[in-house]
Amino acid sequence: MAKVLLVLDDPSVRSALHVCLSEASFTVRECGTALGALRAVLDEPSDVMVLGLGLPDIDGLEMLKMLRTVSDIPVVAVADRQDERDLVRALGSGADDFLAGPFSGAHLVARLTAVLRRATAGVVPADVARVGGLVVDAKRREAFLDGAPLDLNRKEFDLLEFLAWRPGVVVPRGELFKRVWLRTYRGERTVDVHLSWLRRKLGESAAQPRYLHTVRHVGIKLEAPQPTH
C-alpha cells in the first residue's frame, strides 16, 4: 500500500483528496505547510508527494528545491490554474509530474499511480550506451560527455537514456512521452521543455545541435556529431 504525503494549504481540499486517495487504497498523511512537509519527509518517508504550489509559509517551488537536497521522493506538483509557466517552473524545480486544476480525484489517482510505476520500474538495460563522446550508464544512472559528468535530473536522464539506446532513430514526441512519462501524448510541451534543458546541458541548442536533432514534423533523434575536416 503506497504512502502519499498530501501537502496542500486548503484544509477542505486536503480532506476531500484524503478520502479519495484512501478509497483508492493509498495510505495518506496530510500537511498544510512547506516546513511541516520537509519535517514529515525526514521523520517518516513516504512513497510519493502531492505538492500544492501555493503554500502559506514557503513558495511551493522553493520548497521543492529544498526538498531535492534531502530527498528523491517522487512529486506530483498541483496548481489551481492552467498556466504553462507553472508547468515549466515545477518541472525545472524537480517535480516528476504536474497537474493543473480543476482536476478530479480519479485523475490525481491515475497520475500518482503512473509516477509510482515509473519510480519503481527500475532500469531495463544493463549495459552502457555510447554515442560519440556521450556515455550513458543505465545501471548507475550516470551520464558523461567527453569524460565530464552530466548533472541531469531524473527525467532528463530517462529521456537521454531512452534516446541513447536508439542512436540515429527518429523517435516521435508521442512515443517519447509514452515511453518516458508512461502517458498518452496529447500535445503537451513537457517533452520539448525537457529536451531544451537537456540540450543546454549537452552544450548545444536546437539551432546548433550536436547530439539531439529535431526532424521537423517527425520527431527527435540522437546521433554522434559528424567529424569535422
Side-chain angles (χ1 to χ4, degrees):
M1 187 176 294
K3 298 178 181 179
V4 180
L5 180 58
L6 197 57
V7 186
L8 299 167
D9 65 323
D10 190 325
S12 61
V13 175
R14 284 204 314 270
S15 178
L17 290 179
H18 190 140
V19 172
C20 181
L21 293 174
S22 297
E23 291 176 347
S25 298
F26 287 96
T27 298
V28 185
R29 288 192 299 158
E30 292 184 28
C31 190
T33 65
L35 292 177
L38 290 170
R39 284 194 294 267
V41 167
L42 295 174
D43 291 344
E44 185 181 344
S46 297
D47 297 306
V48 64
M49 177 187 293
V50 177
L51 176 63
L53 299 186
L55 298 175
D57 53 344
I58 300 175
D59 177 76
L61 295 177
E62 289 303 315
M63 180 270 186
L64 186 50
K65 293 175 184 177
M66 296 167 62
L67 174 69
R68 283 295 172 244
T69 67
V70 296
S71 174
D72 199 33
I73 181 175
V75 174
V76 176
V78 298
D80 57 5
R81 60 180 183 177
Q82 296 281 348
D83 190 331
E84 188 175 283
R85 291 172 298 180
D86 287 336
L87 163 66
V88 173
R89 288 194 292 260
L91 295 176
S93 298
D96 297 87
D97 202 349
F98 178 83
L99 190 57
F103 57 85
S104 66
H107 193 172
L108 178 59
V109 167
R111 290 294 184 91
L112 290 174
T113 301
V115 165
L116 286 167
R117 185 167 62 245
R118 295 196 298 269
T120 58
V123 181
V124 176
D127 298 326
V128 175
R130 292 180 173 85
V131 183
L134 185 63
V135 177
V136 181
D137 188 329
K139 206 167 189 178
R140 293 184 173 87
R141 291 187 66 81
E142 296 175 341
F144 302 84
L145 179 61
D146 298 328
L150 292 170
D151 182 17
L152 306 177
N153 66 34
R154 182 186 298 145
K155 276 293 165 281
E156 289 167 351
F157 181 88
D158 291 344
L159 183 58
L160 180 63
E161 189 236 343
F162 183 84
L163 292 169
W165 285 98
R166 297 157 182 81
V169 176
V170 180
V171 183
R173 283 176 174 77
E175 179 68 10
L176 278 174
F177 197 73
K178 178 181 178 182
R179 299 297 294 275
V180 176
W181 279 266
L182 302 181
R183 300 210 309 269
T184 301
Y185 183 65
R186 295 186 175 87
E188 296 95 332
R189 290 202 58 230
T190 303
V191 174
D192 288 328
V193 169
H194 280 80
L195 283 171
S196 176
W197 295 336
L198 190 53
R199 282 190 173 104
R200 190 178 308 133
K201 292 182 180 180
L202 292 174
E204 60 182 71
S205 65
Q208 295 181 306
R210 293 183 65 229
Y211 284 91
L212 293 171
H213 299 264
T214 300
V215 180
R216 194 174 182 185
H217 303 311
V218 183
I220 308 296
K221 67 176 177 178
L222 185 147
E223 62 182 4
Q226 296 300 312
T228 55
H229 300 286

